[in-house]
Amino acid sequence: MRLTYALPLAGAATLASFAAHAETITVATVNNNDMIIMQGLTDEFEKAHPDIDLEWVVLEENVLRQRLTTDIATDGGQFDVMTIGTYEVPIWAKQDWLVELDDLPESYNEQDLLKPIRDGLSQDGSLYALPFYGESSMMYYRTDLFEQAGIEMPEQPTWEQVEDWASQINDPDNGVYGICLRGKPGWGENMAFVSTLVNTFGGRWFDEEWHPEINSPEWKEAVGFYVDLMNNYGPPGATSNGFNENQALFSSGKCGMWVDATSAAGRLYNPDESQVADKLGFAPAPIAETPKGANWLWSWTLAIPASSDAKDAARTFITWATSQDYIELVGETEGWTSVPPGTRESTYENPKYQEAAPFADFVLNAIQTADPTDSTLKPSPYIGVQTVNIPEFQAVGTQVGQMIGAALAGQQSVDAALDQAQRSVDRTMRQAGYYD
């Protein structure tokens, strides 16, 4: 969709001259709520920058990742701004696929960016993407259902407790399911959640020699628990539900609990967006054998591919969309629970945000305590909480996600799915030269 706005210039000839010289940049982004708000503020950007037109490509998460990876790996040049995550940025920067973002304007206040987020987007001390929003993960729950069942939320819930609570509040006859969790296959969809579940059950993706451990006892216990929990107390058709679908289910009152991204909190607390805004509780992501790796660390970012032929205009846009001024603009126009979270210290120091967002300090702590360098009970050779920071993980994670999706759908047993996944990942790692 092309969004172009005419400005009040003097005379048709002047307008035609302006239109002829405006530079168009193509922005590829994900169809999450914060990005839809960004797209809706196109008019504000173009008024301030009449020499730049924005053209938007807004895609579902799995499709976006596939399109962007293909384009940048082939030097396609279709996009001037790419919405990518903490996983891609350091890997693509090493390949010289991204523009280094040095010499940012002083007004951008780079030091205001939260350190865990900034560090994840840096390579050799330089930023290669700017964070649009950042997140960890947490548990949301319906306080009214918990009160009716006489359940008190502890300071740190466990997965064993979650299963018990789900059994008590599950009421499918009245359209309420005990728990909603991601089931849509994809390395950034179901595997973002499943990886943290495996972490806290004591598992890891790879041993210290890069051999996969996907059919280990820890994986089988974690994935078996997940499949049973969802089949017993989750909504039907869970393999179609990713972040956006579960957010819609929870905000419409159909889930008693939901464990997912902290970035959903603002929308769930907004009474214009959520039917459960007045009965919403939150708690840390549940743990099992260990607290390590139970809550993830992620940032959706805006980066400029080296193949762009409009780098200066793209830089102008991404510095605007990730600035303190943009956050203020969203707060004043959309409401303070709608501002992009998890990127700037100034957001969490802002009295307007603190008043509107009772979850603010909780989310900030979750982001600051997530540790990608120490996310597994046993030592591992990789960096990442819900991802493994190697180029092969995009394919590996998606393969495993599809097999776990098949187990969730009842198409094969958990053991069979994980044995198949183990063979597939072992083959990929051997071909990539990690071991003979």
Side-chain angles (χ1 to χ4, degrees):
M1 178 172 63
R2 172 76 177 276
L3 300 176
T4 307
Y5 296 85
L7 301 180
L9 302 175
T14 306
L15 180 60
S17 175
F18 156 76
H21 291 92
E23 187 169 23
T24 297
I25 61 172
T26 302
V27 182
T29 196
V30 66
N31 63 341
N32 290 352
N33 186 60
D34 292 280
M35 282 68 175
I36 300 300
I37 292 174
M38 175 174 60
Q39 183 187 14
L41 292 171
T42 295
D43 191 18
E44 297 294 331
F45 174 80
E46 291 184 344
K47 282 180 181 177
H49 305 89
D51 57 336
I52 302 174
D53 287 343
L54 300 181
E55 184 174 272
W56 293 90
V57 178
V58 183
L59 299 168
E60 184 270 334
E61 187 169 324
N62 287 339
V63 177
L64 175 78
R65 288 184 164 124
Q66 184 178 26
R67 285 276 301 274
L68 297 189
T69 301
T70 300
D71 184 75
I72 203 157
T74 60
D75 200 28
Q78 294 182 53
F79 309 108
D80 302 296
V81 174
M82 291 181 164
T83 302
I84 58 177
T86 312
Y87 164 72
E88 293 98 342
V89 173
I91 294 174
W92 291 8
K94 286 181 182 178
Q95 298 287 338
D96 295 324
W97 289 349
L98 301 177
V99 173
E100 183 179 351
L101 300 173
D102 50 3
D103 299 326
L104 292 170
E106 185 176 347
S107 60
Y108 186 77
N109 193 3
E110 182 181 331
Q111 293 306 307
D112 185 46
L113 299 176
L114 295 175
K115 188 177 186 303
I117 300 296
R118 187 173 72 243
D119 288 350
L121 306 179
S122 300
Q123 180 67 26
D124 296 330
S126 295
L127 277 169
Y128 282 84
L130 300 182
F132 184 68
Y133 73 76
E135 64 184 31
S136 185
S137 52
M138 63 193 286
M139 186 167 82
Y140 306 97
Y141 65 97
R142 290 265 304 273
T143 56
D144 58 330
L145 299 181
F146 271 54
E147 288 170 7
Q148 290 169 18
I151 302 168
E152 291 189 15
M153 177 62 69
E155 186 174 332
Q156 174 61 71
T158 68
W159 278 111
E160 184 179 9
Q161 290 172 321
V162 167
E163 183 176 35
D164 178 50
W165 300 334
S167 71
Q168 295 182 57
I169 62 179
N170 191 52
D171 188 10
D173 290 341
N174 289 305
V176 177
Y177 300 94
I179 190 164
C180 292
L181 298 170
R182 297 190 190 192
K184 180 186 290 184
W187 70 265
E189 281 283 9
N190 65 342
M191 293 315 298
F193 168 75
V194 170
S195 293
T196 60
L197 186 69
V198 168
N199 290 341
T200 194
F201 270 79
R204 56 187 176 175
W205 275 90
F206 300 98
D207 68 15
E208 292 181 274
E209 303 300 323
W210 288 105
H211 296 98
E213 293 197 334
I214 297 167
N215 62 352
S216 66
E218 294 88 354
W219 270 80
K220 289 184 176 181
E221 184 181 5
V223 176
F225 174 86
Y226 161 75
V227 168
D228 288 345
L229 182 66
M230 291 296 287
N231 284 336
N232 290 332
Y233 311 118
T239 54
S240 297
N241 297 338
F243 170 76
N244 284 326
E245 293 81 7
N246 280 322
Q247 181 175 250
L249 284 169
F250 190 90
S251 63
S252 61
K254 297 187 184 304
C255 307
M257 293 177 285
W258 180 36
V259 180
D260 212 296
T262 58
S263 57
R267 194 171 188 187
L268 295 179
Y269 267 97
N270 184 345
D272 295 331
E273 301 274 356
S274 170
Q275 297 176 27
V276 297
D278 61 343
K279 41 185 169 282
L280 179 60
F282 56 87
I287 64 173
E289 299 300 320
T290 176
K292 283 191 174 185
N295 57 299
W296 68 60
L297 181 66
W298 180 257
S299 177
W300 276 117
T301 78
L302 302 178
I304 304 170
S307 55
S308 168
D309 59 3
K311 294 181 179 66
D312 289 343
R315 181 188 291 257
T316 297
F317 172 72
I318 69 172
T319 53
W320 173 83
T322 61
S323 66
Q324 290 171 267
D325 288 343
Y326 177 85
I327 290 172
E328 185 79 22
L329 173 64
V330 175
E332 296 300 331
T333 59
E334 304 290 329
W336 281 95
T337 58
S338 297
V339 303
T343 60
R344 290 186 171 272
E345 292 180 7
S346 55
T347 301
Y348 292 88
E349 296 167 354
N350 189 318
K352 295 178 182 178
Y353 186 65
Q354 290 179 341
E355 181 180 355
F359 50 84
D361 290 342
F362 178 91
V363 169
L364 180 61
N365 181 68
I367 290 172
Q368 292 178 327
T369 56
D371 188 356
T373 67
D374 185 21
S375 63
T376 57
L377 185 60
K378 298 175 185 177
S380 68
Y382 54 86
I383 294 173
V385 182
Q386 81 283 22
T387 59
V388 176
N389 205 11
I390 58 173
E392 293 78 15
F393 182 73
Q394 185 164 350
V396 162
T398 296
Q399 290 168 4
V400 177
Q402 290 168 346
M403 294 165 193
I404 290 177
L408 180 60
Q411 296 169 0
Q412 58 181 328
S413 69
V414 169
D415 283 3
L418 295 182
D419 286 344
Q420 181 183 359
Q422 174 76 11
R423 292 191 296 270
S424 174
V425 176
D426 177 67
R427 184 166 54 249
T428 298
M429 299 301 282
R430 286 181 187 278
Q431 291 173 346
Y434 283 84
Y435 50 85
D436 294 329

